[in-house]
Amino acid sequence: MSHTQSTFAARAPSGVGEVSSLSIKRLGLSLSTFFTISYVICIMGYLLMPDFPVRHEALSIFLPGFKLLSWQSYFLGLIESFAWGWYIEVDPENETVG
């Protein structure tokens, strides 16, 4: 341990500076919530500003079965957005969770 690290460890309150692993449940829910909110914002942008130069049809690349815009497609995209968060978290190649 270097002098700087030992000084920090001596002054730091208990638990500060320690590395802890992330909860799989917390990270999965966070990613899923982020993707779901992003999806809703994108759809709202399409409905409120249809002439905005963003290609909302690109959502169909990441959300199979999504088409602009029906209620069935909207809810399918919502479910798939939530599922993407868990897919990224649970992916066996993912080494972000200790």
Side-chain angles (χ1 to χ4, degrees), residues 58-64 80 84:
L59 286 172
S60 63
I61 295 170
F62 300 106
L63 306 172
E80 289 176 339
W84 267 109

Side-chain angles (χ1 to χ4, degrees), residues 3-77:
H3 175 65
T4 305
Q5 289 174 333
S6 63
T7 304
F8 177 73
R11 291 185 202 167
S14 176
V16 174
E18 295 178 11
V19 177
S20 64
S21 63
L22 294 171
S23 165
I24 290 175
K25 184 177 178 181
R26 182 177 290 166
L27 185 58
L29 285 173
S30 298
L31 286 170
S32 293
T33 302
F34 172 75
F35 288 145
T36 303
I37 290 171
S38 298
Y39 170 78
V40 170
I41 289 171
C42 185
I43 296 301
M44 286 175 54
Y46 171 75
L47 293 173
L48 297 174
M49 299 176 285
D51 295 329
F52 196 68
V54 174
R55 305 297 297 170
H56 297 278
E57 295 86 8
L59 286 172
S60 63
I61 295 170
F62 300 106
L63 306 172
F66 177 80
K67 295 179 182 67
L68 281 176
L69 189 66
S70 68
W71 283 108
Q72 292 174 335
S73 179
Y74 171 77
F75 287 114
L76 177 64

